[in-house]
C-alpha cells in the first residue's frame, strides 16, 4: 500500500485539487496550535508593526520548546477577522497556513484526505496541484 512518507509513488501521484473558498473555517473552531519559528515571528511582527519582543508578549505562547500563536478562548486564531472572515496578517502568514491542506497528516491516506475534504470546502475542488507542488508543501512543514 502506498503511503505519503518516503514512498516513491504516493497515492496522490496524479495530483490533488484545492481552491480556498475563503470560508475561514480553518482559522476558527476547535482549539489548536499555529506553530511559528523565529523568522515567522519576525515577519509577523513587521506585518503588525511591532517589535519582536512586543509581538511575542502579545501574540505568542510557549508550548514546550516550541512557539504557537495565541488564540481566542473559542479557538479562533488571534489574527482572524470575524467581519471579513479573513486573515489580518495574510501576507506574512506562517508556513503552517501557507501549506494547508497539503500536510503529512492530511496526505497519509486517501481516507485522511477525504476527511480533510469534508472539513475544508476548498479541498478536493478547484485548481489541480501536481505532485511536485504537493510534495514541496508537504516537506515545508510537518503537521
Ligand atoms: S477551511 Fe479551506 S476553504 Fe475554508 S478558509 Fe480554510 S482553506 Fe479556505
Amino acid at each position: 500500500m502506498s503511503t505519503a512518507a518516503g514512498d516513491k509513488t504516493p497515492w496522490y501521484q496524479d495530483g490533488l485539487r484545492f481552491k480556498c473558498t475563503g470560508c475561514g473555517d480553518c482559522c476558527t473552531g476547535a482549539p489548536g496550535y499555529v506553530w511559528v519559528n523565529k523568522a515567522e515571528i519576525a515577519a509577523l511582527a513587521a506585518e503588525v508593526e511591532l517589535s519582536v519582543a512586543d509581538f511575542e508578549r502579545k501574540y505568542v505562547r510557549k508550548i514546550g520548546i516550541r512557539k504557537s500563536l495565541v488564540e481566542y478562548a473559542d479557538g479562533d486564531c488571534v489574527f482572524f477577522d470575524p467581519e471579513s472572515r479573513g486573515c489580518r496578517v495574510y501576507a506574512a502568514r506562517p508556513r503552517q497556513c501557507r501549506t494547508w491542506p497539503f500536510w503529512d497528516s492530511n496526505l497519509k491516506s486517501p481516507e485522511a484526505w477525504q476527511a480533510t475534504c469534508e472539513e475544508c470546502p476548498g479541498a478536493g475542488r478547484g485548481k489541480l496541484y501536481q505532485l511536485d507542488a504537493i510534495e514541496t508543501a508537504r516537506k515545508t512543514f510537518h503537521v
Side-chain angles (χ1 to χ4, degrees):
M1 183 182 146
S2 295
T3 61
D7 195 309
K8 287 198 178 74
T9 55
W11 67 266
Y12 48 85
Q13 62 180 316
D14 294 333
L16 290 171
R17 293 189 183 276
F18 172 61
K19 172 89 174 73
C20 178
T21 67
C23 72
D25 286 359
C26 59
C27 320
T28 59
Y33 302 107
V34 179
W35 303 111
V36 282
N37 65 17
K38 204 173 165 184
E40 289 168 328
I41 290 170
L44 286 161
E47 182 71 14
V48 298
E49 299 179 349
L50 283 178
S51 69
V52 167
D54 285 346
F55 182 87
E56 291 217 33
R57 256 192 298 279
K58 205 166 170 189
Y59 295 120
V60 176
R61 57 191 163 142
K62 239 181 145 194
I63 311 288
I65 58 165
R66 303 171 78 187
K67 289 179 176 177
S68 171
L69 296 180
V70 299
E71 58 187 15
Y72 293 113
D74 61 2
D76 288 5
C77 177
V78 72
F79 291 119
F80 178 68
D81 178 350
E83 277 183 25
S84 67
R85 292 197 68 74
C87 175
R88 291 196 287 116
V89 291
Y90 190 79
R93 68 199 187 286
R95 292 163 303 160
Q96 183 172 338
C97 310
R98 287 178 191 275
T99 57
W100 172 268
F102 302 129
W103 294 354
D104 283 332
S105 51
N106 296 337
L107 297 170
K108 67 176 190 256
S109 65
E111 293 74 24
W113 179 250
Q114 186 52 41
T116 304
C117 294
E118 281 160 25
E119 183 186 328
C120 164
R125 294 169 188 82
K127 180 181 168 180
L128 179 67
Y129 284 80
Q130 300 297 340
L131 179 61
D132 57 346
I134 296 169
E135 289 299 80
T136 298
R138 185 177 70 78
K139 289 172 186 166
T140 298
F141 191 80
H142 297 283
V143 66

